[in-house]
Structures are given as C-alpha cells and as structure tokens.
Amino acid sequence: MTKDSYFKFLNKLSESNRKYNLSNDERLLLDVVATETHADKVIYVKDLITLNQIASQATLHKALSSLVDKNLLELKITKEDGRLKEVHLTKLANKRYEELNKALENAIKK
C-alpha cells in the first residue's frame, strides 16, 4: 500500500459526500445506521436522536429527515410497538457504500 492510499480514499469519500449532497451530520448518522446494519443489529429513530456526541436532538432529527428525503434511509414502524420506527438503508445508500468499498479496495491495490 502506498503512503498516499489513505488520501486517495479520503478524496473519494469527499466526492461521494458531494455526490449524495451529505452534510457532516447526515454522513455520521448514515455511517451509524450502516455500521449497525452491517452488524445485523436493528437501530431505531430514538437511538439516533440520542446521539448527542454528534449533534443536538433537533439537528439530528433534521439530518434524519433529510436522509429520508434524499432516499438514503427509510423508516419502518415496528409491528410490536407502533411508536417505534426502525431505520433502514435504502438501495441507494447501499450503492454508496459499495462505491466506497470499491474505492478503498482500489486505493489499497495501487
């Protein structure tokens, strides 16, 4: 791996953030959902809204709504408790992570 592989990947990450028009808060929330999904865990809106290390509840709610509007996340009401909403990646969000994975693999190969 060349010493600038990481910087090549960071460049691709920045390009992806621009392509999907992601703010920093949106990117962080999306990464949390993707990480939990990758670990086969279910994450709920209430879990995301309480991530005060990222931003305030109001800012997180706005970012979450924006990600839904951008078709990167979808919310599903649980059957067990209609007050709970599960958060899921959409096909578009999965496509973004596949693109990033490919960019990382390419950066490492060169």
Side-chain angles (χ1 to χ4, degrees):
M1 179 156 105
T2 64
K3 64 181 178 179
D4 63 347
S5 296
Y6 178 70
F7 298 104
K8 287 179 184 178
F9 175 72
L10 281 182
N11 186 47
K12 290 294 184 183
L13 181 59
S14 292
E15 288 175 13
S16 177
N17 292 339
R18 284 190 301 277
K19 176 181 176 181
Y20 292 93
N21 193 27
L22 295 175
S23 71
N24 193 49
D25 294 334
E26 291 168 347
R27 182 189 56 81
L28 290 170
L29 277 183
L30 195 58
D31 286 348
V32 168
V33 175
T35 301
E36 294 299 306
T37 300
H38 183 72
D40 291 324
K41 295 180 182 175
V42 176
I43 191 158
Y44 300 95
V45 169
K46 68 181 181 87
D47 300 324
L48 295 176
I49 300 302
T50 59
L51 294 172
N52 59 0
Q53 70 272 25
I54 295 175
S56 69
Q57 284 188 347
T59 301
L60 291 168
H61 191 273
K62 182 179 177 184
L64 181 59
S65 295
S66 180
L67 288 167
V68 170
D69 291 344
K70 292 176 183 179
N71 195 33
L72 291 166
L73 292 179
E74 62 183 350
L75 308 179
K76 296 180 182 177
I77 297 173
T78 63
K79 293 175 183 150
E80 300 81 30
D81 185 346
R83 298 171 294 176
L84 287 177
K85 292 181 186 174
E86 294 178 1
V87 183
H88 297 273
L89 297 174
T90 63
K91 288 181 183 178
L92 184 61
N94 282 315
K95 179 183 173 191
R96 177 179 184 266
Y97 284 104
E98 288 169 12
E99 291 168 356
L100 290 174
N101 188 59
K102 185 176 179 181
L104 181 59
E105 288 174 351
N106 287 338
I108 292 171
K109 285 180 188 176
K110 296 180 180 179

